Amino acid sequence: AQSVAQPEDQVNVAEGNPLTVKCTYSVSGNPYLFWYVQYPNRGLQFLLKYITGDNLVKGSYGFEAEFNKSQTSFHLKKPSALVSDSALYFCAVRESDDYKLSFGAGTTVTVRA
Amino acid sequence: DAGVIQSPRHEVTEMGQEVTLRCKPISGHNSLFWYRQTMMRGLELLIYFNNNVPIDDSGMPEDRFSAKMPNASFSTLKIQPSEPRDSAVYFCASSLQGLAGYEQYFGPGTRLTVT
């Protein structure tokens, strides 16, 4: 079975400060990891993914994530947050040979001006 | 590409009525997923199609729910009869399975309210 945990329901940061959204996962085999963002009344938008290779993955809008196999984590980061980054963020995982994507419960990010 | 297209964007109906949600996946994608999102349960996978064939419908709540994919460019999710507890946002997503590490692309969703 595969699962994802996002331990923080909410993250609040000031504009210009670093942003981190935490994610830990559990899979039996090799993990494929994804981050999605959802703005109000919109669908989920793909940000970035880790499949293999370099543990630091860069994605859209200046976001990056670091895969840590020993800690089974895939935290999302942005060096300098913008007010427009305020949204709901989902981490997701699937095993490399599976189609089913398991989502975390989501973390609401609020960036204050 | 226009992305995944869903219609209608909003649907308000009375309990007992039939509801049909529609989805047009991204051209060239061979996999299609229907999800339901609620505050209580988060994102739930309802059904998964590959090459127009339903592969996994274990997430379909009950017999009132049915889904079809008559061709590669169209899918429907039908609820008959609808109940208030079906109120949720329903998303369609598509992907190109076969490529390593393929990601799913989501449509804007249909917000269903059953009164």
Side-chain angles (χ1 to χ4, degrees):
Chain A
Q2 56 195 34
S3 64
V4 172
Q6 293 181 241
E8 300 161 316
D9 291 337
Q10 290 197 342
V11 170
N12 298 306
V13 298
E15 188 172 36
N17 282 2
L19 169 63
T20 298
V21 186
K22 296 179 181 178
C23 170
T24 58
Y25 67 90
S26 174
V27 295
S28 302
N30 292 323
Y32 286 177
L33 293 150
F34 304 83
W35 275 101
Y36 286 84
V37 60
Q38 184 178 27
Y39 297 100
N41 301 313
R42 303 283 295 275
L44 277 71
Q45 185 175 337
F46 169 71
L47 275 180
L48 52 78
K49 64 182 178 184
Y50 170 81
I51 305 303
T52 186
D54 194 347
N55 290 343
L56 185 63
V57 178
K58 294 186 183 298
S60 306
Y61 311 121
F63 284 95
E64 58 188 29
E66 185 165 13
F67 171 66
N68 187 315
K69 188 174 182 178
S70 62
Q71 297 186 4
T72 61
S73 67
F74 189 57
H75 301 331
L76 181 70
K77 300 180 181 181
K78 186 169 184 179
S80 178
L82 301 173
V83 172
S84 57
D85 293 328
S86 299
L88 181 58
Y89 291 79
F90 290 97
C91 181
V93 67
R94 64 177 174 87
E95 294 190 31
S96 57
D97 58 353
D98 197 1
Y99 62 85
K100 188 171 289 189
L101 200 55
S102 295
F103 287 89
T107 299
T108 299
V109 170
T110 302
V111 182
R112 60 185 184 276
Chain B
D1 199 310
V4 176
I5 298 172
Q6 291 186 248
S7 65
R9 293 294 309 276
H10 301 273
E11 177 79 37
V12 180
T13 191
E14 292 183 347
M15 182 175 62
Q17 296 298 306
E18 177 180 298
V19 174
T20 299
L21 311 181
R22 297 172 175 81
C23 174
K24 177 179 170 56
I26 292 173
S27 178
H29 281 188
N30 58 8
S31 294
L32 185 139
F33 306 80
W34 282 100
Y35 290 89
R36 178 170 68 177
Q37 185 180 36
T38 61
M39 291 292 291
M40 292 294 293
R41 296 198 182 94
L43 274 163
E44 303 173 274
L45 176 64
L46 300 178
I47 188 167
Y48 157 60
F49 291 88
N50 183 253
N51 292 321
N52 313 336
V53 176
I55 304 298
D56 182 359
D57 65 354
S58 60
M60 297 286 263
E62 46 198 276
D63 292 345
R64 297 185 297 105
F65 286 68
S66 62
K68 294 182 179 180
M69 192 164 186
N71 56 62
S73 59
F74 184 66
S75 177
T76 60
L77 177 68
K78 185 179 293 186
I79 308 173
Q80 166 63 20
S82 58
E83 296 182 2
R85 60 194 169 118
D86 301 330
S87 298
V89 181
Y90 291 81
F91 290 105
C92 176
S94 71
S95 67
L96 183 57
Q97 188 175 0
L99 292 178
Y102 59 90
E103 60 269 18
Q104 295 179 22
Y105 291 89
F106 285 73
T110 296
R111 182 174 296 276
L112 174 64
T113 303
V114 183
T115 60

